[in-house]
């Protein structure tokens, strides 16, 4: 489980100032630090905000974007539960902030397993503590255990499931959408994030005194990163 290190703070402040949630900012940190895209990349649901592609370290050979609505960056208009793609035709699948909007998520994961090559990889992100956000609908929140089980049932082997954030950042993310009002709203968001990170520092210091029995701040993550590969057994 990961709380953001001070090296990630400038990125958090910049993105929250510009209007992103802490969860999305933490996702971008994970993309910058861990994501490796290779070959043909299938980006599921990236027709609206493909903000993460600019943070990746690797340059894919080709990106195919599939979404239920047409858009300038959308290559295929279709549902993730029934993708018009050949079996074992893509090397990397990205599924960021999408799974919670798909009611039949098992069908979507089964489709991902179908289109992935044997040596391919799935990388995704789901929010955990966040307000209801319809796009067009918002159905689920996932725990690490549920993600692991869903991936396994779909023929995918989890390689990494990581909770990101902590209770202070998650609390701020619940308040953040109400801090609007142009420049004043941006300043309030930055001030709120500063308080959340200060609370993280204070609590981290306190745990050295009170011991491991204290509440783990990562027990209330902003979001969860997951990676998997096809189960070839």
């Amino acid at each position: 489980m990961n709380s953001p290190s001070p090296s990630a703070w400038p990125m958090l402040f910049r993105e929250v100032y510009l209007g992103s949630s802490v969860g999305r900012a933490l996702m971008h940190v994970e993309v910058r630090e861990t994501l490796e895209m290779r070959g043909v990349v299938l980006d599921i649901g990236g027709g609206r905000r493909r903000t993460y592609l600019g943070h990746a370290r690797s340059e894919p050979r080709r990106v195919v974007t599939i979404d239920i609505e047409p858009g300038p960056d959308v290559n295929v208009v279709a549902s993730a539960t029934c993708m018009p793609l050949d079996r074992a035709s893509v090397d990397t699948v990205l599924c960021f902030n999408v799974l919670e909007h798909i009611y039949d998520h098992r069908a979507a994961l089964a489709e991902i397993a179908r289109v992935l090559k044997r040596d391919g990889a799935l990388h995704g992100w789901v929010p955990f503590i966040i307000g209801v956000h319809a796009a067009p609908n918002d159905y689920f929140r996932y725990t690490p255990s549920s993600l692991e089980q869903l991936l396994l049932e779909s023929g995918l082997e989890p390689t990494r499931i990581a909770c990101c954030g902590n209770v202070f950042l998650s609390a701020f993310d619940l308040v953040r959408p109400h801090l609007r009002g142009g420049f004043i709203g941006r300043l309030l968001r930055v001030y709120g994030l500063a308080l959340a990170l200060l609370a993280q520092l204070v609590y981290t210091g306190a745990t050295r005194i009170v011991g491991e029995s204290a509440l783990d701040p990562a027990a209330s993550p902003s979001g969860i990163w997951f990676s998997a590969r096809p189960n070839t057994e």
Side-chain angles (χ1 to χ4, degrees):
M1 293 187 179
N2 303 316
S3 290
S5 64
S7 63
W9 290 10
M11 189 172 181
L12 295 183
F13 276 110
R14 180 175 64 253
E15 298 211 8
V16 168
Y17 176 80
L18 294 175
S20 292
S21 65
V22 171
R24 180 170 285 270
L26 290 172
M27 181 188 77
H28 289 164
V29 171
E30 286 291 319
V31 167
R32 182 184 66 184
E33 296 181 354
T34 68
L35 178 62
E36 292 187 8
M37 297 185 293
R38 59 185 186 83
V40 176
V41 175
L42 175 63
D43 180 18
I44 298 177
R48 295 185 178 186
R49 296 183 66 188
R50 301 200 305 174
T51 54
Y52 37 84
L53 290 181
H55 297 282
R57 299 177 299 171
S58 53
E59 186 71 25
R61 185 172 77 241
R62 179 186 174 203
V63 177
V64 177
T65 299
I66 185 170
D67 203 291
I68 59 172
E69 296 180 355
D73 296 317
V74 176
N75 305 107
V76 179
V77 178
S79 169
T81 61
C82 186
M83 296 187 288
L85 301 174
D86 293 336
R87 180 181 299 275
S89 59
V90 298
D91 300 281
T92 307
V93 174
L94 307 181
C95 186
F96 296 138
N97 293 304
V98 174
L99 208 57
E100 72 273 16
H101 300 294
I102 302 175
Y103 186 75
D104 193 357
H105 48 206
R106 285 182 169 82
L109 289 171
E111 276 290 88
I112 290 172
R114 181 183 69 83
V115 301
L116 267 177
K117 295 180 180 178
R118 288 174 60 88
D119 60 346
L122 161 66
H123 303 285
W125 174 276
V126 289
F128 187 75
I129 295 184
I130 191 173
V132 175
H133 54 295
N137 297 299
D138 185 10
Y139 295 110
F140 302 106
R141 297 294 178 268
Y142 302 90
T143 64
S145 298
S146 66
L147 280 172
E148 180 180 17
Q149 190 64 29
L150 285 168
L151 290 168
L152 289 171
E153 290 175 357
S154 302
L156 296 164
E157 180 183 349
T159 55
R160 181 171 181 250
I161 297 178
C163 293
C164 301
N166 55 55
V167 66
F168 308 111
L169 294 173
S170 296
F172 166 70
D173 243 357
L174 291 176
V175 177
R176 181 198 56 82
H178 306 285
L179 302 177
R180 300 177 180 177
F183 181 70
I184 298 300
R186 290 181 178 182
L187 289 181
L188 289 174
R189 291 196 295 268
V190 168
Y191 179 71
L193 176 60
L195 289 178
L197 291 172
L198 178 61
Q200 173 187 315
L201 280 178
V202 171
Y203 184 84
T204 301
T207 56
R208 298 191 183 100
I209 300 173
V210 300
E212 294 297 329
S213 61
L215 175 67
D216 181 2
S220 302
S222 301
I224 302 174
W225 178 276
F226 60 95
S227 296
R229 61 190 177 192
N231 190 339
T232 57
E233 295 182 358

